[in-house]
Amino acid sequence: MRNIRIGLLGCGTVGEEFAGLLLERRSAIEDVAGISLELVRVAVRDPGKPRSVALDPAVFTTNAYDVVKAEDVDLVVELIGGTSPAGELVTAALNAGKPVVTANKELVASAGPDLFAAADRAGVDLFFEAAAVAAVPLLRPVRESLLAEDVTRVAGIVNGTTNYMLTRMTADGLGFEEALAKAQELGYAEPDASADVEGADAASKIAILASLAFNRSVVADDVSREGITGLLAEDFELAARFGFDIKLLAVAERFTGPPDARGTIGAQVFPALISRDHPLASVRESFNAVFVTTSAAGELMFYGHGAGPRPSASAILGDVVGAAEHLARGTHRRVPVGRPAALRPTRDLVHSYYIRADVDEAPGVLSEVTGVFGRHGVSIRTVDQHGSESQARIVFLTFPAPEHALHDALEELHDLDHVRAVGRVLRIYT
Amino acid sequence: MRNIRIGLLGCGTVGEEFAGLLLERRSAIEDVAGISLELVRVAVRDPGKPRSVALDPAVFTTNAYDVVKAEDVDLVVELIGGTSPAGELVTAALNAGKPVVTANKELVASAGPDLFAAADRAGVDLFFEAAAVAAVPLLRPVRESLLAEDVTRVAGIVNGTTNYMLTRMTADGLGFEEALAKAQELGYAEPDASADVEGADAASKIAILASLAFNRSVVADDVSREGITGLLAEDFELAARFGFDIKLLAVAERFTGPPDARGTIGAQVFPALISRDHPLASVRESFNAVFVTTSAAGELMFYGHGAGPRPSASAILGDVVGAAEHLARGTHRRVPVGRPAALRPTRDLVHSYYIRADVDEAPGVLSEVTGVFGRHGVSIRTVDQHGSESQARIVFLTFPAPEHALHDALEELHDLDHVRAVGRVLRIYT
C-alpha cells in the first residue's frame, strides 16, 4: 500500500480537527482507497502549545519552508490562512512538485489564477474544496461532473454567520444588533464580524465558484457587494407579507454574447428577497447552499455546513485522499486556468426590486412617485400602501430593470417634496 | 489532443438527447478538458428510423456486440435498459478493456457487484451517475469527496413521478387517482406507473446509493418497500395539521456494531411524514433530492432533476468526459467492491409513526386503545381526537419504536370491538 506523507502548515482549530480526523479515519481510508496517510511534519508558531490531538512532538517545527521543501513530505496541507506567507508557501510547495490542499479562500479568491498556473506547470494537484462551502462537496462536482455542462448561473447562501442572523431576524423578529450579539454569543460570529456582515467572505467564495463554473478567472475584487447592515425588522415583516424571506445571496451569472464567445460575467453579493417556495429559502440557521443553473441538467442545489472546524476538516481530508490517490497513480487533475473574465458592470445588471418609501398623505403623491419610476423605465409590479392621517408607507415590487435605471429613479425620488424617506432597496431573486 | 471514440448502445429518447448534447458541447469539452469525443458506432433495433439528431447513417448497426468489440471503439455507453442483454453487453465491453458509462439503474441495482468486479479485473472505469438521480452529481461526490467520511444515513426523494403526485395531493388536495392521471397527462408517469408508485424504482436507486455510501453491496431486493397507493387526501390534511408534508422516501441507514465492524444496514422505501422545516420538504414537483448524514461533514443535501432525457444526458456526458479523461491519462477509478451488506431485518428498524383510527364514541375507548400501544412498548407522543355523536377519529403520533412492536400493537388494535377502522400507518422521518 502506498504511504503518502503529509506536511501540515498551521495547526489552529481547523488544523487540530484535521489531524484528529485523519487519525480517526486512517484505517477506513486504507480499506476503501488503498492508501495510507501519515502526518509527518507540522509547522506551527508555538510547538510547545497544548493541543487537543495526540501528535508526536518530533513532527513540530516553526519553519514552514522546511515542511514545504522536506524530502519526506509528499503532500502539503496549508491551513495558515491569509495571503502571505501562505501564498509563497503554497507556490514553493507546488514548485517543489508537491500537491497542495488548502482551505484558504482569501488566497484562492485573490491569487487563484497564479496558483493554478503554478500547479499546472508542476503537474500536481491543487485542491481547495474547504475554501468554498466547507463540508459541501461542491467544487469537485462543478469542475468534474459538470465539466461538460453549460453553467449559466451560480447563486448561493455561502456565509453561515449571516444566514444564522437572518434566520433569527425572520423567525424571532430580532433586530440586526440583537441577531449579531446572538451569533457572537454562540461563536458563529467573530468579535469583528465585518467580513461576514459586509459580504467580503461571500464575495471570495462566489469568486472561486464562478471561476470553476464559468472557466474564467474571477477574483474577489470583481464582485460588487452589499452586506446586511441596516436591514430593519420591518423589512422582514413586509417581505413576509409578499411571501418572501430575506437571504444574503452571492450570485454569479454568465451572459452570452460579446465581448467573446463566453460572454460577460456579473458577480454580486447582496441581501435579497427570495420566494418562500424557493429551495434556497429552506436553508436556515448556519447552513449554506449553492444553487447552480445549467443548460442541460437544469437546476441543482448543494446544501450543507458552510463552516466549522469539523466540516472543514472533512472537506480537507476528502481533498487529501483525492490528491493522494492521484499521487499514487502518477496523475493529477488540471484546474483549467481560464482567461480573466470579461465583467459586466454592476450598473447594467438586471434585477427586480423591493422599495420602501415614507411619503406625505396628500393627493397625487402616489402618481408622482410612480411617475418617477416610469420615466426611468422601471415598471411597477405591485404597490402596497398603508397610511395614517398624515403619512403613508408605500412598498413597491418592480419588474426587472437595470441597476442604473433604478439608481437614477431613486435619486429623483429623494428629491420629491412629498417623499420623507426611502428605505433600503433590496433586490428580488428569481 | 486525444480523440476518444464512443460506441453507443441504444438510441431511444435518452440516447438521442445524449448524442445531441455531445455534438452541442463537443468544442467546449475540447476547450476545457483537452479531449475530443467522437460518436463512431450506434447500435439500434431500426437503423432506418428517423431521429432528432443528425448522425452519419454509417454509424448505425443492429449488432450491439459489434459495437462492444469494435477496435475503433474506446468507450461504451449503454442506454438499452433492462438487465439482459444489457448486462452481457456491459460485461463484454469491460472484458474487452473498454470503460463503460451506463444509465441503467435496474442493471446496476441488481448485478452491480459482478459488474464492479469485472471493471476492476479489466482495470477500466464503470460509471453510472445517471442511474441514481439523473442530473444530480451525487455518486461522484459520495464515492470521491466523501470517501474519507463516515456516512451513517442516506435518505432521499429519488422518484420524480411520485414526488410530482404527492406535491399535487399536498398543494391542490387531489386524490391518488387524480394525481396519477395528471402525472400521466404531463408525461411524468408511464401508462403503467407501478414501478414508480409501488417504490421499485426508488428501491433500485437507494440500493445503488447505499452500496457506494457504505462500501457494502446492497441490491434492490435488499430494500423493503411500500408505495404511495392508498394514501388519502385526509392523510395530507391531518399531516399538515401537525406541521408535516408527506413524501415518498428512500432511506438507507448504517448501524454500528455486530455482525462486523461496519455494522448492519437497513434499507427501506416508504411514504413518510416529514416536518415542513426539513429541507427535503422543500423538494417539490418532479424534483429529487438526497440527504446524506455523515459523522464529520454533518448533513448534506444534493438537489436537482431526477429524470428526463436532457438531465439524464447531462449526467451521462459528465461520466463520459470523466472516463475519457482517465483513458487519456491511462488511469481509472476503482469502484470498491464491498462485501454483501449484513442487513438489519425490517421488523427491527425503528421509526416514529402516524396512526389514524376510527372508533366508537364510548367511555373508556381512548384508554383501551392507548393501552394496546402501551402493552407493546409503543409510546404515544401526541393524540388528536375529533368526534361526532357516535364515532371519533383518533390520530396518534408515537415515539420511536421497532416495526415489530408497532405491527403487534396494530394486530391487537384491529381486534378491539370499538375500533371500526385503522387507516394507513405512515412512518415519521426525523
Side-chain angles (χ1 to χ4, degrees):
Chain A
M1 188 176 321
R2 176 76 186 267
N3 184 46
I4 303 290
R5 297 160 301 178
I6 298 167
L8 175 62
L9 308 180
C11 197
T13 326
V14 174
E16 279 188 20
E17 195 69 44
F18 165 71
L21 191 62
L22 178 62
L23 293 175
E24 183 185 323
R25 302 295 304 155
R26 198 175 161 174
S27 82
I29 293 166
E30 290 177 4
D31 190 29
V32 182
I35 281 168
S36 158
L37 298 176
E38 189 187 359
L39 192 55
V40 293
R41 289 177 188 247
V42 182
V44 292
R45 238 176 280 174
D46 176 8
K49 189 179 152 195
R51 301 183 192 274
S52 69
V53 59
L55 293 174
D56 181 350
V59 303
F60 290 104
T61 168
T62 55
N63 191 331
Y65 281 96
D66 278 355
V67 173
V68 161
K69 292 173 180 166
E71 292 215 351
D72 64 358
V73 166
D74 301 312
L75 187 157
V76 172
V77 177
E78 185 275 305
L79 302 179
I80 295 174
T83 54
S84 184
E88 293 81 355
L89 286 162
V90 168
T91 307
L94 295 171
N95 289 344
K98 293 173 190 182
V100 173
V101 172
T102 176
N104 191 332
K105 60 181 160 287
E106 207 185 331
L107 178 63
V108 178
S110 61
D114 293 339
L115 300 176
F116 303 161
D120 196 34
R121 277 195 306 273
V124 296
D125 281 326
L126 172 61
F127 288 163
F128 44 92
E129 188 71 70
V133 195
V136 185
L138 180 58
L139 301 187
R140 201 188 305 221
V142 166
R143 73 186 194 174
E144 299 186 21
S145 305
L146 302 182
L147 189 138
E149 264 287 2
D150 184 28
V151 179
T152 54
R153 184 156 71 167
V154 180
I157 294 167
V158 294
N159 180 273
T161 306
T162 48
N163 203 51
Y164 173 80
M165 290 172 61
L166 294 174
T167 302
R168 293 282 74 77
M169 294 169 85
T170 302
D172 309 335
L174 297 193
F176 174 83
E177 294 298 342
E178 293 168 293
L180 177 58
K182 186 114 192 166
Q184 283 166 331
E185 188 186 311
L186 291 169
Y188 289 148
E190 303 287 322
D192 175 6
S194 56
D196 293 321
V197 301
E198 296 304 334
D201 174 80
S204 290
K205 290 170 181 168
I206 196 70
I208 295 172
L209 282 166
S211 297
L212 295 182
F214 302 140
N215 191 28
R216 280 288 174 275
S217 96
V218 178
V219 296
D221 283 346
D222 294 336
V223 183
S224 72
R225 60 184 164 89
E226 289 177 21
I228 64 166
T229 321
L231 287 181
L232 303 179
E234 55 196 311
D235 289 318
F236 290 81
E237 286 163 32
L238 289 167
R241 202 185 295 165
F242 292 102
F244 294 104
D245 279 346
I246 297 179
K247 295 288 185 185
L248 181 66
L249 298 183
V251 182
E253 196 157 0
R254 188 172 62 72
F255 305 94
T256 48
D260 70 19
R262 295 287 293 178
T264 55
I265 290 171
Q268 296 181 283
V269 172
F270 48 69
L273 270 64
I274 184 165
S275 165
R276 293 193 156 167
D277 287 337
H278 195 285
L280 281 174
S282 74
V283 180
R284 300 190 185 91
E285 306 296 336
S286 65
F287 277 95
N288 282 197
V290 174
F291 209 79
V292 180
T293 310
T294 77
S295 68
E299 297 174 330
L300 302 169
M301 189 171 82
F302 302 81
Y303 167 100
H305 284 292
R310 202 163 155 85
S312 297
S314 165
I316 296 160
L317 185 56
D319 274 354
V320 166
V321 172
E325 286 184 309
H326 282 177
L327 209 54
R329 287 194 234 126
T331 180
H332 77 287
R333 167 160 281 278
R334 192 174 154 259
V335 183
V337 186
R339 276 168 293 180
L343 297 172
R344 172 162 295 203
T346 304
R347 48 177 276 107
D348 293 336
L349 296 175
V350 172
H351 298 280
S352 297
Y353 306 92
Y354 153 98
I355 302 149
R356 166 171 55 80
D358 291 332
V359 300
D360 294 329
E361 184 71 85
V365 171
L366 185 61
S367 154
E368 202 182 359
V369 167
T370 52
V372 167
F373 288 108
R375 272 197 298 289
H376 292 282
V378 181
S379 299
I380 305 295
R381 181 195 293 266
T382 310
V383 180
D384 179 77
Q385 178 168 355
H386 286 263
S388 64
E389 234 168 82
S390 65
Q391 184 171 331
R393 159 153 299 173
I394 315 180
V395 173
F396 301 97
L397 304 185
T398 78
F399 280 101
E403 299 218 349
H404 65 77
L406 180 82
H407 179 261
D408 293 349
L410 288 177
E411 289 233 316
E412 199 175 323
L413 195 65
H414 277 287
D415 291 341
L416 293 185
D417 287 342
H418 287 298
V419 171
R420 298 190 187 176
V422 180
R424 175 88 187 262
V425 174
L426 297 174
R427 294 166 187 83
I428 302 172
Y429 180 81
T430 47
Chain B
M1 187 176 318
R2 176 76 186 269
N3 185 47
I4 304 289
R5 297 160 301 179
I6 297 167
L8 175 61
L9 309 179
C11 197
T13 326
V14 174
E16 279 188 21
E17 196 68 46
F18 166 72
L21 192 62
L22 177 60
L23 294 174
E24 184 186 321
R25 303 294 306 155
R26 198 177 159 170
S27 81
I29 293 166
E30 290 176 4
D31 191 29
V32 181
I35 282 169
S36 159
L37 298 177
E38 189 187 358
L39 191 55
V40 292
R41 290 178 188 244
V42 182
V44 292
R45 238 175 279 172
D46 176 8
K49 188 181 153 194
R51 302 186 190 272
S52 68
V53 59
L55 293 173
D56 181 349
V59 303
F60 289 103
T61 169
T62 54
N63 190 331
Y65 281 96
D66 278 355
V67 173
V68 161
K69 291 173 181 167
E71 291 215 349
D72 64 357
V73 167
D74 301 312
L75 186 157
V76 172
V77 177
E78 185 275 305
L79 302 178
I80 296 175
T83 53
S84 183
E88 292 82 355
L89 286 161
V90 167
T91 307
L94 295 170
N95 288 344
K98 293 173 189 182
V100 173
V101 173
T102 175
N104 192 333
K105 61 181 158 289
E106 206 186 331
L107 178 63
V108 178
S110 61
D114 293 339
L115 300 176
F116 303 162
D120 196 35
R121 276 194 307 273
V124 295
D125 282 326
L126 171 62
F127 288 165
F128 44 91
E129 188 71 68
V133 195
V136 185
L138 180 58
L139 301 187
R140 201 188 304 223
V142 167
R143 72 186 193 174
E144 300 187 21
S145 306
L146 303 182
L147 190 137
E149 264 286 2
D150 184 27
V151 178
T152 53
R153 184 157 69 166
V154 180
I157 294 166
V158 295
N159 180 273
T161 306
T162 48
N163 203 51
Y164 173 81
M165 289 172 62
L166 295 174
T167 302
R168 292 282 75 73
M169 294 169 86
T170 302
D172 309 336
L174 297 193
F176 174 84
E177 294 299 341
E178 293 168 292
L180 177 57
K182 186 116 192 167
Q184 283 167 331
E185 189 186 311
L186 291 169
Y188 289 147
E190 302 287 323
D192 174 4
S194 56
D196 293 320
V197 300
E198 296 305 333
D201 175 80
S204 290
K205 290 171 180 166
I206 196 69
I208 294 172
L209 282 166
S211 297
L212 295 181
F214 303 140
N215 192 28
R216 280 289 173 275
S217 97
V218 178
V219 295
D221 283 345
D222 294 337
V223 183
S224 72
R225 60 186 166 89
E226 289 177 21
I228 63 168
T229 321
L231 287 180
L232 302 179
E234 56 196 311
D235 289 317
F236 290 82
E237 287 162 31
L238 289 166
R241 201 187 296 164
F242 292 102
F244 294 105
D245 279 347
I246 298 178
K247 295 287 186 187
L248 181 67
L249 298 183
V251 182
E253 196 158 357
R254 189 173 61 72
F255 305 94
T256 48
D260 69 21
R262 297 285 290 177
T264 55
I265 290 171
Q268 295 182 283
V269 173
F270 48 69
L273 270 62
I274 185 165
S275 164
R276 291 192 157 166
D277 287 338
H278 194 285
L280 280 175
S282 74
V283 179
R284 299 188 186 92
E285 305 297 333
S286 64
F287 277 95
N288 283 194
V290 175
F291 209 79
V292 180
T293 310
T294 77
S295 67
E299 296 174 331
L300 303 168
M301 188 171 82
F302 302 81
Y303 166 101
H305 284 293
R310 203 163 154 84
S312 298
S314 166
I316 295 160
L317 185 56
D319 274 353
V320 166
V321 173
E325 286 185 309
H326 281 177
L327 209 53
R329 287 192 234 125
T331 179
H332 77 288
R333 167 160 281 278
R334 191 175 156 260
V335 183
V337 187
R339 275 169 293 180
L343 296 172
R344 174 163 294 203
T346 304
R347 49 176 277 108
D348 293 337
L349 296 174
V350 172
H351 298 281
S352 298
Y353 306 92
Y354 153 97
I355 302 150
R356 165 171 56 80
D358 292 331
V359 301
D360 294 329
E361 184 70 84
V365 171
L366 185 60
S367 153
E368 200 182 358
V369 168
T370 53
V372 168
F373 287 109
R375 271 197 299 286
H376 291 282
V378 181
S379 301
I380 305 296
R381 182 195 293 265
T382 310
V383 180
D384 179 77
Q385 177 167 355
H386 285 266
S388 64
E389 232 168 85
S390 66
Q391 184 171 330
R393 157 152 301 172
I394 315 180
V395 174
F396 301 97
L397 304 185
T398 77
F399 281 101
E403 299 220 349
H404 64 79
L406 178 82
H407 180 262
D408 293 349
L410 288 177
E411 290 232 317
E412 198 174 324
L413 195 64
H414 277 287
D415 290 342
L416 293 184
D417 286 343
H418 288 299
V419 172
R420 297 190 188 178
V422 179
R424 175 88 187 261
V425 175
L426 297 174
R427 295 167 187 83
I428 302 172
Y429 179 79
T430 47

